[in-house]
Amino acid sequence: MDLLDSQHADELATLLALSDAGSFAAAGRALQRHPSVLSKRLNALERRLGVRLVERTTRQLHLTDAGQRLVEKVREATDLIAQAEKEAADGAAQVRGRLRVSVPAAMGRRLLSPMVAEFALAHPQVTLELEYADRLVDIVGERFDAAIRIGQLADSRLVATRLCSHRRIMAAAPAYLAKHGTPQLPADLAQHNCLGFTGLQSYPEWQLTQAGASHSVVVRGSVVSNDNEALLAAALVGVGILAGGDWLINPGIASGQLVHVLPQWQLNADAGIYLVRPSARFSTAAMAAFRTWVVAWFAARAGKALAQAAVDAPR
């Protein structure tokens, strides 16, 4: 059913004013309209509905039974609208309601899940609906409230908050390197089994950078996937060389299951991790709280990483 247009809304407002005021003159003063305007509105409403709503006399008017029933229904509707507006305003002011958020699948499972759980614990009146997917969701079209994204941003309709830089590194299992050798230069990667992440915008090209220098190489591999964790599993058993975020690879390096390959080089040096939203206007308190939480969580994590780097730096 279509919403009322302005003409129909004016007609109903006139009927309510006549019911309250009891005359065209008094209703005109209440609505700041000439009584003749109100008379035309009422006539139009009665013609549209095909029923007499008001009995007029020279000095006063009375609602017909049909007019009285219509007034009661319209008042019920206006009360519901007022209640809905109040609930919407309250929801914008209070940290509650529903948030639909898209997060990268592997990063979401391995890195972001604790952060999301802590937010849910701190804000029990917020319902979080999370989609873990490496596909690029249409935030506006699919009605997401926010998304965490890795890499370059192209959608100008979105409001983006940069959370931190995103460092992609390369690694392989000791068994793979013992059998096939360790690459010494980026060009050597073309002769290796490089596990391909199809979600990378430049796939199958790896764009490596080092202190201002850059080198691109088209890689090939026996396993390609849109899921980073599947590629990690293949790398751990010695299938080939994996390129991925340091958050994905560093645990394997720390445990000795993986060896950092070409450590002086990294992929997509200007990539970042972002929180993106459809618009900054009319943001709810729940969205504002989630944004504050995510920004603080990444800032704390970056601080810990810097502190660890200082500890690990050679002296």
Side-chain angles (χ1 to χ4, degrees):
M1 181 179 180
D2 294 335
L3 294 174
L4 291 175
D5 60 26
S6 60
Q7 178 183 342
H8 293 171
D10 288 342
E11 293 168 0
L12 293 175
T14 295
L15 180 63
L16 294 181
L18 290 172
S19 174
D20 292 336
S23 71
F24 281 100
R29 288 192 295 271
L31 295 179
Q32 297 184 336
R33 292 291 185 272
H34 194 275
S36 63
V37 174
L38 302 191
S39 179
K40 291 178 181 178
R41 288 179 180 176
L42 179 61
N43 290 336
L45 178 61
E46 289 179 328
R47 285 196 304 271
R48 182 162 60 85
L49 299 181
V51 64
R52 188 80 167 173
L53 299 173
V54 176
E55 296 292 351
R56 303 132 170 113
T57 65
T58 56
R59 294 187 177 181
Q60 59 184 353
L61 55 82
H62 300 281
L63 295 177
T64 65
D65 288 344
Q68 186 62 47
R69 288 194 299 272
L70 180 57
V71 165
E72 291 172 357
K73 293 296 184 182
V74 172
R75 291 199 191 282
E76 290 178 9
T78 54
D79 288 345
L80 285 174
I81 292 172
Q83 179 183 350
E85 289 180 343
K86 182 178 184 302
E87 290 178 356
D90 290 346
Q94 300 177 23
V95 183
R96 70 180 189 183
R98 175 175 170 267
L99 287 178
R100 191 162 184 247
V101 182
S102 171
V103 298
M107 174 180 279
R109 289 189 292 265
R110 287 182 167 262
L111 183 65
L112 303 180
S113 291
M115 178 270 291
V116 171
E118 290 163 7
F119 176 84
L121 192 62
H123 300 286
Q125 289 187 299
V126 176
T127 299
L128 278 172
E129 180 182 337
L130 301 170
E131 177 169 313
Y132 286 71
D134 284 319
R135 70 183 182 91
L136 191 65
V137 302
D138 179 357
I139 296 179
V140 176
E142 298 181 48
R143 297 185 179 275
F144 281 93
D145 296 294
I148 293 177
R149 285 186 174 170
I150 304 171
Q152 301 300 313
L153 300 181
D155 196 335
S156 60
R157 298 175 300 168
L158 304 180
V159 178
T161 301
R162 187 179 175 94
L163 301 171
C164 66
S165 60
H166 183 245
R167 185 167 178 257
R168 290 183 182 272
I169 61 177
M170 294 160 286
Y176 174 87
L177 298 176
K179 183 175 181 180
H180 299 282
T182 300
Q184 301 300 315
L185 297 170
D188 296 340
L189 293 170
Q191 308 304 318
H192 281 268
N193 192 24
C194 296
L195 309 176
F197 176 56
T198 56
L200 191 65
Q201 188 174 7
S202 61
Y203 173 84
E205 182 182 4
W206 285 4
Q207 299 169 350
L208 284 73
T209 59
Q210 175 204 33
S214 62
H215 187 95
S216 295
V217 57
V218 176
V219 298
R220 58 182 179 81
S222 60
V223 178
V224 297
S225 176
N226 66 345
D227 184 76
N228 274 310
E229 289 188 295
L231 299 177
L232 175 63
L236 288 171
V237 297
V239 174
I241 298 175
L242 171 67
D246 54 4
W247 53 268
L248 179 73
I249 294 177
N250 277 343
I253 294 175
S255 67
Q257 295 176 285
L258 295 173
V259 176
H260 199 168
V261 171
L262 295 174
Q264 67 275 31
W265 293 85
Q266 61 174 308
L267 281 76
N268 304 95
D270 57 349
I273 300 175
Y274 298 85
L275 176 69
V276 294
R277 295 164 288 149
S279 173
R281 297 184 63 207
F282 308 120
S283 179
T284 64
M287 185 66 251
F290 185 74
R291 177 185 177 279
T292 299
W293 190 278
V294 172
V295 169
W297 189 85
F298 271 90
R301 179 177 176 272
K304 291 177 182 177
L306 289 173
Q308 186 61 47
V311 171
D312 294 341
R315 289 173 169 78

